[in-house]
Amino acid sequence: MTTDSTGTVFGREQVRRARFAVATVFTVHGAVTGSFATRVPWIQDHAGVSAGQLGLALAFPAIGASLAMPLAGAVSHRFGTRTALRGLLALWTLALVLPALAPNLLTLCAALFVYGASAGMSDVAMNALGVEVENRLDKSIMSGLHGMWSVGALIGSAAGTVAAHLGADARLHHSLAALTLTVLGLLACQGVLDLRSEPDEEPPPRFTLPPRSALIIGAVGFCAVFAEGASLDWSAVYLRDVMDTSAGLAAASTTAFTLTMAVARIAGDKVVDRFGAVRTVRVGGILATVGGLLVVASPNAVLSMCGFGFLGLGIAVVVPLAFAAAGRSGPNPSRAIAGVATITYTSGLIAPSAIGSLAEATSLVVSFGLVTVLAFGLVVGAGVLRAADRKAAPSPGAATPSAAAAEPRP
């Protein structure tokens, strides 16, 4: 049995409630991302930066996240999982206000650095708690949690679209959104598991290299996130430039990709419970590879759109399973989860620019040939996610509160 900070034993009903609490946290986290993304044009105009300067500034969230993620384990060790998540999530929701306040490039870069750092730490903390709840429920929930993140991102982006259409000042919009999401996040955190380290347990290091297990698991996550970033940012351009379609049909390809990903993530837990993590990712890799081949070899736009849909379907559950595998991969899950998160964030950062650079040197068809090769990497590397299978992981009762608290990411 696992106890909370007051020594109370967690019952199954408490763990079920904790599942819904963590799902709400994921939704809130995604809503911040969606709210920000829709107002980037307003922020660019307010800061008075060019497209190139904006591209530079938008690298700072990933830089901040990568540097701050290893700190999440130390924060959880020091304050306990509930208090740590409460503070880190509030920091993230309130950080939404900062970019819209920036009057120039320098302050925008600083704001986005803080925005990314708080995003990364809260991302790691909520994923670690998701793995902990999954262990205690003895059923897969990570894919569904990431599906709820996508739902939150859709809600945030929908509200942002309405605000932009009405011409609302992003400072006011983001202030109201931050206040609302902070309240919702704090209420949700009341229901998460509160796990603490033993008094004599050595705290995790603040900054350390990820273990070898995280590098291997992260490599599989890298392939999936690279394909996701490439498809999200370049699918519409591919349909327009290569397939010579209308702007509306080109945009529909991105919708097909995001929709299949969201549906697959929400339904993914039942598939993982039925077939296991390795088989699910291997079949997903095959689907993604077929999708990539359809994109690069199809003679018409309809088949290319189907290809992007297959790509989204195939890679949807990989990142949730990578976090689950990292959380069970060794004696120091905090380092493993932070390591995998850092690798996947890096992949998402470099994918769009890498596709663009390769397309400029060759063609977009060649660029998505690279995406297809990486998709096939999921078939080859699926075995490293075996730890994501609950039967291959330690039983929930075997996990100590201190190990859980040591576990520290739309």
Side-chain angles (χ1 to χ4, degrees):
M1 285 290 186
T2 304
T3 60
D4 66 7
S5 56
T6 63
T8 304
V9 176
F10 288 123
R12 193 162 184 83
E13 188 58 37
Q14 288 175 288
V15 178
R16 288 196 186 99
R17 287 198 298 268
R19 174 187 179 179
F20 291 108
V22 173
T24 304
V25 168
F26 270 77
T27 306
V28 168
H29 196 284
V32 175
T33 301
S35 298
F36 168 75
T38 54
R39 304 313 305 271
V40 169
W42 190 98
I43 292 170
Q44 178 185 8
D45 291 341
H46 178 70
V49 298
S50 65
Q53 290 173 326
L54 178 63
L56 171 65
L58 290 176
F60 276 80
I63 295 171
S66 298
L67 291 176
M69 279 174 178
L71 293 172
V75 174
S76 292
H77 177 93
R78 173 68 178 82
F79 298 103
T81 55
R82 181 184 294 165
T83 300
L85 182 61
R86 184 187 292 130
L88 293 175
L89 186 64
L91 184 63
W92 163 234
T93 54
L94 293 174
L96 173 62
V97 178
L98 298 178
L101 299 177
N104 53 50
L105 177 62
L106 181 61
T107 54
L108 180 60
C109 290
L112 289 174
F113 181 90
V114 175
Y115 174 85
S118 58
M121 289 191 292
S122 55
D123 190 304
V124 173
M126 71 187 190
N127 273 285
L129 271 172
V131 173
E132 193 62 42
V133 173
E134 182 175 90
N135 285 342
R136 283 160 173 73
L137 287 175
D138 196 29
K139 62 187 293 186
S140 295
I141 66 168
M142 290 301 293
S143 180
L145 291 180
H146 282 253
M148 292 306 297
W149 188 96
S150 297
V151 170
L154 287 171
I155 293 172
S157 62
T161 299
V162 172
H165 180 71
L166 295 175
D169 189 308
R171 291 168 295 189
L172 175 61
H173 165 214
H174 282 174
S175 295
L176 293 175
L179 178 61
T180 302
L181 293 172
T182 299
V183 172
L184 290 175
L186 290 175
L187 290 174
C189 287
Q190 288 297 107
V192 304
L193 299 179
D194 190 15
L195 303 164
R196 292 183 179 269
S197 303
E198 296 293 341
D200 58 347
E201 183 181 344
E202 190 73 19
R206 287 180 172 83
F207 291 101
T208 183
L209 293 175
R212 184 171 177 270
S213 61
L215 297 178
I216 297 172
I217 294 169
V220 177
F222 181 96
C223 293
V225 174
F226 192 99
E228 179 180 354
S231 298
L232 281 173
D233 285 11
W234 286 96
S235 57
V237 178
Y238 188 96
L239 266 289
R240 184 194 65 191
D241 293 353
V242 178
M243 294 286 111
D244 195 27
T245 66
S246 66
L249 188 59
S253 67
T254 305
T255 303
F257 176 81
T258 54
L259 186 61
T260 54
M261 272 201 71
V263 171
R265 279 184 169 174
I266 292 173
D269 292 319
K270 293 185 182 297
V271 177
V272 173
D273 277 335
R274 175 68 178 84
F275 298 104
V278 174
R279 191 182 302 178
T280 300
V281 172
R282 191 160 285 150
V283 172
I286 293 172
L287 287 174
T289 303
V290 170
L293 291 173
L294 280 175
V295 169
V296 301
S298 64
N300 59 66
V302 173
L303 285 178
S304 285
M305 289 180 64
C306 291
F308 283 115
F310 277 122
L311 271 169
L313 187 64
I315 67 175
V317 301
V318 177
V319 172
L321 290 177
F323 278 115
R328 305 185 184 113
S329 63
N332 199 327
S334 61
R335 289 174 57 200
I337 290 177
V340 168
T342 301
I343 293 169
T344 55
Y345 264 69
T346 302
S347 180
L349 172 65
I350 69 173
S353 59
I355 292 296
S357 298
L358 185 57
E360 187 173 351
T362 56
S363 69
L364 269 176
V365 175
V366 173
S367 294
F368 276 92
L370 173 61
V371 172
T372 304
V373 171
L374 291 176
F376 185 72
L378 300 177
V379 181
V380 177
V384 305
L385 300 183
R386 195 172 305 278
D389 283 322
R390 290 170 292 100
K391 293 180 180 178
S395 64
T400 65
S402 58
E407 297 175 5
R409 86 154 138 111

